[in-house]
Amino acid sequence: MGGGGWGGGAGEPVPVAGWRARVRRRVRGRRRVLLAGFAAVLVGLVLAAPVRAGVASFFDFGGVAVRTAPSSAPSGPGAPPPGAVPGCGALTLDAAARRAGFRPPVPPRLGAPDAAGVSADGRMVSLCWAAGRGAGGDAVRLDAFRGTLDPLVGKTSPVPPEWEQVGTGTALWFPEAHRLELLLRAPGGSTYTRTVRTAGPTLLWQGPDGLTLRLEGVPAKQEALRLAESVS
C-alpha cells in the first residue's frame, strides 16, 4: 500500500482545497440560476398584466372582432358625428330578404322598417327606421348577418363592452361612441370593400337562425335589450 497522499483518480479522496473550490463554484452557479429565475419572475410580473389585458381586449363574437383601445373613435374632417346612423338604401324588407336569402327579425315595437338594404356580397341585411321611430327620437338601424370564422365587422371601443343576456344567449352592450369597421366582399367576390365610421351606443347579440344582430340608435341599454328580447 502506498503512503497517505491524496490521489486524483475516480472514487478516490480529493484535496481539501480542491473540494472547497468546487463547493464555491457550485454555490456561485446556483446563485446565478436563482438570480436569473428571480429576474424572470420580475419580468413576468411586469408583463403579465398588460399581456393579459391585450388578450382579453380582443376576441371574436359571432363574426364580429371586438377590441378595446383608448381614443378609438374616428375623428377629424369627414368623420361622422358620434351616434349618426346612416341610411340603409331603398329596398323593401321583402326585396332585401329575397336578395340575401334570409329574413332578419323585426322588433314588433319598431314596426315595419322604413327602408332596407343588402351589402354587395349579400351577406348583410340592414333595416332602418327614420328619426322619431326609436326611443329618444334617433334613427335606428338593425344589421343582420350570419357569423363566420372570418369577421365581417370590427369594433374598437374606448371602453370594454358590457356583457348582457338576451334570451338564452350572450349579448354585448357598447355604451359609448366607438370605431366601426365593415369588411365586405365587392361584387364578384374577388376584392373587399372597407368602410370605417363612428357608431353610437350599440347592442350586439346572436339571434335566431344563427344570425348575429347589431342594433344601433337606441341610446338606452334597457330599451335596446327589450327590443332584442322581442325577437329572440
Side-chain angles (χ1 to χ4, degrees):
M1 300 283 297
W6 295 95
E12 296 180 356
V14 295
V16 173
W19 175 81
R20 287 177 178 170
R22 290 175 60 185
V23 169
R24 283 196 296 268
R25 284 196 298 270
R26 286 186 181 180
V27 169
R28 285 197 297 268
R30 289 186 180 181
R31 185 181 300 167
R32 284 194 296 268
V33 171
L34 288 174
L35 289 175
F38 183 62
V41 170
L42 288 178
V43 171
L45 290 174
V46 170
L47 295 180
V51 168
R52 281 200 305 269
V55 172
S57 68
F58 186 85
F59 55 93
D60 288 346
F61 182 91
V64 182
V66 179
R67 187 166 68 92
T68 302
S71 305
S72 56
S75 59
V85 181
C88 290
L91 295 177
T92 64
L93 174 57
D94 290 338
R98 285 194 299 270
R99 184 174 297 183
F102 67 90
R103 189 182 187 89
V106 177
R109 297 181 61 163
L110 293 178
D114 296 313
V118 181
S119 62
D121 60 4
R123 293 196 293 172
M124 178 182 290
V125 175
S126 300
L127 309 180
C128 284
W129 292 264
R133 297 285 295 275
D138 298 320
V140 177
R141 178 179 175 124
L142 177 68
D143 294 321
F145 53 92
R146 299 193 187 282
T148 63
L149 293 177
D150 243 355
L152 281 69
V153 176
K155 283 182 172 289
T156 307
S157 175
V159 297
E162 301 171 13
W163 293 85
E164 299 292 341
Q165 184 170 341
V166 170
T168 58
T170 301
L172 297 178
W173 171 250
F174 295 82
E176 296 188 12
H178 56 279
R179 177 188 175 95
L180 172 67
E181 181 175 348
L182 301 180
L183 188 64
L184 298 165
R185 289 193 186 97
S190 58
T191 60
Y192 284 83
T193 58
R194 177 175 174 269
T195 304
V196 179
R197 68 175 177 86
T198 302
T202 299
L203 182 66
L204 185 70
W205 78 101
Q206 291 181 294
D209 301 324
L211 293 177
T212 296
L213 300 167
R214 181 186 165 279
L215 181 66
E216 181 184 359
V218 181
K221 178 173 68 173
Q222 292 306 318
E223 175 64 15
L225 289 170
R226 281 193 287 269
L227 292 172
E229 289 279 1
S230 70
V231 295
S232 299

